[in-house]
Amino acid sequence: MAQGSVDSEFDRLDDVSAEAYRIAVLEGQFRAEAIAAELGLSVEDAQRTERVLRVLRLLHPTPGDPRRLTPVSPDAASSELLGPMEEHMGQMEQHVARLRSQLAALQPIYFEGRKMRNHLEAFDTISEPDTIQSLIDSLLKRSKTEVLTVQPGGARPSHLLESAKKSCLDMVSRGVRLRSIYQHTARTDPGTQALARAVSAEGGQFRTTDEVIDRLIVIDREVAFLPQRRPSASSRAAVIVREPTLVNYLCSVHELLWRSALPFGESDADTKPVLDEVKRAIIRLLAEGHKDELVARRLGMSVRTCRRHISEIATELRAGSRFQAGATAAAQGLLGPLADTP
């Protein structure tokens, strides 16, 4: 048995062992036969009592006669037995204090790292279009509750629309609430019409408006995708937003646009309200002094189509110039919002 350790089987002083110790103190030695006779113990029990007292350092072999066991005081036994334990505990306390100090020194590093990680997790930028689309597709496939989108511009390529239709139908079939906002000019595109009608029939919702914000995708109100805008204006990078407050804000922006947009995909037989809105937006932008190219870009139409509308507007208002058309429209109160939108 190692010094300073206690055999768990004998680490408790029972009444029999205490009485045997009393007798040994009185006689000046521990004699197993005499103690067994006096206490009515068997030889095995007397030997066990001896082992208990030796483990507790209450019996020591006599120098020169190892078979003769002499009782020692409890204080001496305590010092011999607990001294190494207390020394070990002191060393452990020093070790614990040293480790605690070392770990505490890492706290600033941890919090700074967490701050950086939270920033990276809340905002990320991806510059490769294929990577962006792959990530969007993956998150859309795993969406559970809601997907909100804003798609600026007019007609989109047919292969993109076909892929979007499959994705939208998959989402609505899983019970995901889908609300997409396009610009009015998308209504004249057969591919977009087919997409809106097919998905609307399964529960998806589409609306259009004259002008929208940049492209936006919000998935389950947890992650949002925004285009990154740089001075070069040629970047196709996307910013991924996971910060809850900002994501909720983007959802509120989508809701504001949604309220003022016109339903699309249910029945497009009456296109006059939409056409009126398009012309009204053109008049407003002309009145602000914008050129045809900018008007066309903001309304998601070609310059040729935009100029055709401008010509029709000028004819209807009997205006000889863009400025005169805007001024006449303002004088007639045509630049205000529509009174009733479906």
Side-chain angles (χ1 to χ4, degrees):
M1 186 184 307
Q3 181 75 12
S5 64
V6 179
D7 190 327
S8 61
E9 185 181 354
F10 306 114
D11 64 355
R12 292 186 180 182
L13 184 68
D14 54 34
D15 292 342
V16 173
S17 299
E19 184 62 18
Y21 173 73
R22 185 186 68 81
I23 295 172
V25 171
L26 290 175
E27 293 189 1
Q29 63 177 318
F30 183 92
R31 294 187 301 120
E33 298 82 0
I35 288 177
E38 185 168 343
L39 297 180
L41 303 176
S42 64
V43 176
E44 291 78 9
D45 288 340
Q47 291 174 343
R48 179 186 177 282
T49 299
E50 178 186 331
R51 290 197 301 273
V52 170
L53 296 177
R54 293 190 66 170
V55 165
L56 293 177
R57 305 295 190 269
L58 290 170
L59 293 179
H60 274 202
T62 302
D65 186 4
R67 291 180 297 177
R68 186 172 187 269
L69 299 176
T70 304
V72 299
S73 71
D75 287 342
S78 176
S79 296
E80 180 183 357
L81 182 64
L82 301 180
M85 295 183 184
E86 291 173 342
E87 181 180 357
H88 180 67
M89 289 174 62
Q91 294 174 350
M92 287 299 297
E93 288 177 354
Q94 293 178 4
H95 184 59
V96 168
R98 185 166 56 253
L99 284 177
R100 181 174 285 115
S101 177
Q102 292 173 350
L103 294 174
L106 296 176
Q107 282 289 86
I109 297 175
Y110 170 79
F111 285 115
E112 183 64 24
R114 278 295 300 270
K115 181 180 178 181
M116 290 293 296
R117 192 184 75 186
N118 289 342
H119 176 75
L120 293 175
E121 289 178 348
F123 303 95
D124 196 7
T125 301
I126 301 178
S127 56
E128 299 80 10
D130 290 343
T131 303
I132 297 170
Q133 191 59 52
S134 176
L135 181 57
I136 292 175
D137 291 342
S138 176
L139 291 174
L140 288 178
K141 288 179 181 178
R142 300 202 305 269
S143 59
K144 298 177 181 178
T145 58
E146 180 184 62
V147 172
L148 308 175
T149 71
V150 175
Q151 299 288 355
R156 299 163 66 194
S158 58
H159 69 281
L160 293 180
L161 287 173
E162 187 61 29
S163 176
K165 183 167 70 172
K166 292 179 180 178
S167 178
C168 290
L169 289 173
D170 173 68
M171 286 186 286
V172 295
S173 70
R174 292 186 281 107
V176 176
R177 183 189 185 196
L178 174 65
R179 296 199 303 176
S180 296
I181 300 174
Y182 286 78
Q183 286 187 267
H184 288 323
T185 48
R187 287 176 176 265
T188 60
D189 175 56
T192 307
Q193 293 172 357
L195 165 67
R197 288 197 176 101
V199 179
S200 295
E202 300 300 324
Q205 299 179 66
F206 293 81
R207 291 188 180 185
T208 64
T209 187
D210 53 358
E211 288 191 82
V212 296
I213 57 175
D214 276 332
R215 192 177 306 276
L216 170 66
I217 302 175
V218 184
I219 302 172
D220 290 339
R221 295 184 176 254
E222 294 179 354
V223 58
F225 290 82
L226 295 169
Q228 184 186 39
R229 293 304 178 194
R230 292 179 175 174
S232 64
S234 61
S235 172
R236 298 182 63 189
V239 177
I240 304 172
V241 181
R242 295 185 179 88
E243 203 287 314
T245 301
L246 184 51
V247 172
N248 286 335
Y249 174 78
L250 292 173
C251 291
S252 298
V253 171
H254 188 281
E255 179 64 27
L256 187 62
L257 289 172
W258 185 261
R259 290 176 185 172
S260 60
L262 298 175
F264 174 36
E266 298 160 0
S267 175
D268 295 318
D270 184 7
T271 60
K272 190 175 185 304
V274 174
L275 187 58
D276 288 344
E277 276 210 354
V278 171
K279 290 185 176 181
R280 183 169 300 176
I282 291 174
I283 295 171
R284 175 171 52 80
L285 293 172
L286 289 177
E288 292 174 2
H290 298 300
K291 295 183 178 180
D292 298 355
E293 290 78 9
L294 178 60
V295 173
R297 184 165 63 251
R298 288 186 50 174
L299 299 182
M301 65 178 67
S302 68
V303 176
R304 182 178 178 180
T305 300
C306 179
R307 286 172 176 165
R308 178 169 54 81
H309 283 305
I310 292 173
S311 177
E312 292 174 356
I313 292 169
T315 300
E316 291 174 7
L317 297 177
R318 297 179 181 179
S321 66
R322 293 171 175 77
F323 178 78
Q324 186 180 0
T328 302
Q332 295 180 11
L334 299 179
L335 300 183
L338 291 174
D340 295 307
T341 55

